[in-house]
Amino acid sequence: MPIHKSSPLYRTTHSIVTLIFLLGMLGVPKAIYAQTEPPSYVVDTAPISNYLEMTDYIKMNGALDDASVKKYFSHSIVSLFKHRPGFDSVRFLNNLEAVYSNKPVPTPQQDDDYLLMKKYFENEARIRKGIDIVKQTDIGAMVKKRLRPFYPQSINLDTIQLQFVYMFLDEGNGGLPGYVLNSALQTSYLDRKNVDVISAHEAYHTITNSVFMERFKRLFSATPTDTLANTQNLLWYMQIVSEEGIADLIDKKIIGSGKSPLAEEVNKLRKNETSRAEQRIL
């Protein structure tokens, strides 16, 4: 079944593709098993702060500042997205200038990044408030508290170090070893007591994916053949579906019960859920 870019199914699939790309950039499957350097601090809001620094300059001067652009793309996580397939940094920056200097862009030229930037522009005050809340919150402790019921006692969450990165994204991404990537826009829709709930969903992916890859490291590090690739792909896909089903138990009930745009997205996913799932499986 084709997936339209405006549909929740497209965004879920796009998120999975982004995750696979990020893991690929790190040298998966072999490098993922190596012990990576743990993050030195729990919360990193530099990417979204740097993004807002660029937009502030545009609003004041009508154009971008080379120094702020370099600062934004020099962040290690942001730089990964710069190399994702199809990303055009020039177009990205042109979109940014257009949105924050109120320059009209013809509808046919309005790509996904442009439309997302419009949302960030419209919700800027909310996003800045969300960043302040995140900085004042022990996100790591809150996330691990939410995760404990979903793991056996053999997995000691207190020994796992994660860094929660807040940035310009449409939705959060988990799975990158040691990191949880958060959409600053999504985070801004959450109230203070639940500001960690999407982070917890994504953290489940980050932790569980590492366990999965360690368990099957011999299979994924074997010399590729067509048959082996099919087995790897099937197992990988089944793992992603399994993870998503459990991770949704962490956050969807909470975000689906409110009146924010997040609740609207969850309700869209639930519409004709069974029939759409059957079609996707076929």
Side-chain angles (χ1 to χ4, degrees):
M1 181 180 70
I3 306 172
H4 192 272
K5 284 191 175 184
S6 63
S7 73
L9 274 178
Y10 170 81
R11 286 190 288 276
T12 299
T13 305
H14 175 71
S15 178
I16 292 172
V17 171
T18 301
L19 168 60
I20 293 173
F21 159 72
L22 290 173
L23 292 174
M25 289 294 294
L26 290 181
V28 167
K30 294 181 180 179
I32 194 171
Y33 317 127
Q35 196 71 11
T36 56
E37 187 70 23
S40 58
Y41 47 98
V42 175
V43 169
D44 183 6
T45 59
I48 186 59
S49 295
N50 294 343
Y51 173 89
L52 293 173
E53 185 177 316
M54 288 193 298
T55 65
D56 285 343
Y57 193 92
I58 295 171
K59 286 186 287 186
M60 290 181 61
N61 301 280
L64 278 160
D65 169 51
D66 290 342
S68 62
V69 170
K70 183 178 180 180
K71 182 178 178 182
Y72 177 71
F73 282 120
S74 66
H75 189 281
S76 59
I77 299 298
V78 175
S79 67
L80 286 178
F81 284 85
K82 186 178 180 181
H83 296 288
R84 77 179 188 265
F87 179 76
D88 184 337
S89 60
V90 174
R91 188 170 185 176
F92 179 90
L93 295 174
N94 286 340
N95 282 336
L96 201 64
E97 279 195 356
V99 170
Y100 286 88
S101 60
N102 292 311
K103 294 178 182 177
V105 173
T107 301
Q109 297 177 24
Q110 296 179 8
D111 61 13
D112 290 342
D113 278 342
Y114 173 85
L115 296 174
L116 185 59
M117 288 171 186
K118 291 284 286 185
K119 290 183 180 180
Y120 272 70
F121 174 77
E122 293 162 0
N123 292 275
E124 183 175 322
R126 181 196 293 267
I127 289 169
R128 291 183 185 274
K129 181 179 179 181
I131 295 171
D132 289 338
I133 291 174
V134 164
K135 289 179 177 179
Q136 299 164 17
T137 305
D138 190 344
I139 296 292
M142 292 177 71
V143 164
K144 288 177 180 179
K145 182 178 180 180
R146 289 192 195 272
L147 290 181
R148 290 190 199 284
F150 298 92
Y151 285 107
Q153 291 184 349
S154 59
I155 295 181
N156 186 354
L157 294 176
D158 292 331
T159 64
I160 298 174
Q161 291 181 275
L162 297 173
Q163 184 176 85
F164 299 86
V165 184
Y166 294 82
M167 56 195 300
F168 173 80
L169 279 179
D170 55 346
E171 58 184 23
N173 279 277
L176 193 64
Y179 295 88
V180 177
L181 311 185
N182 298 271
S183 160
L185 179 61
Q186 279 188 333
T187 302
S188 74
Y189 293 137
L190 300 169
D191 56 33
R192 187 179 293 269
K193 71 175 181 178
N194 292 314
V195 73
D196 67 300
V197 70
I198 296 178
S199 296
H201 173 117
E202 302 302 341
Y204 180 82
H205 289 305
T206 297
I207 296 170
T208 306
N209 183 263
S210 294
V211 174
F212 165 75
M213 294 302 290
E214 175 62 29
R215 180 168 295 176
F216 292 99
K217 63 182 178 182
R218 183 171 297 179
L219 172 67
F220 281 98
S221 61
T223 303
T225 64
D226 289 343
T227 301
L228 180 61
N230 287 336
T231 301
Q232 291 173 335
N233 290 338
L234 177 60
L235 186 60
W236 174 241
Y237 188 79
M238 290 175 66
Q239 170 66 13
I240 291 175
V241 173
S242 174
E243 282 186 26
E244 201 64 57
I246 297 173
D248 279 351
L249 297 175
I250 299 170
D251 68 333
K252 292 302 183 289
K253 183 177 180 180
I254 293 173
I255 64 178
S257 61
K259 296 181 179 179
S260 75
L262 293 172
E264 295 176 12
E265 289 294 318
V266 172
N267 291 330
K268 286 179 183 177
L269 285 171
R270 289 173 177 162
K271 189 174 182 180
N272 300 323
E273 181 178 22
T274 300
S275 61
R276 288 192 292 110
E278 290 172 349
Q279 292 178 50
R280 292 292 290 169
I281 292 169
L282 288 173

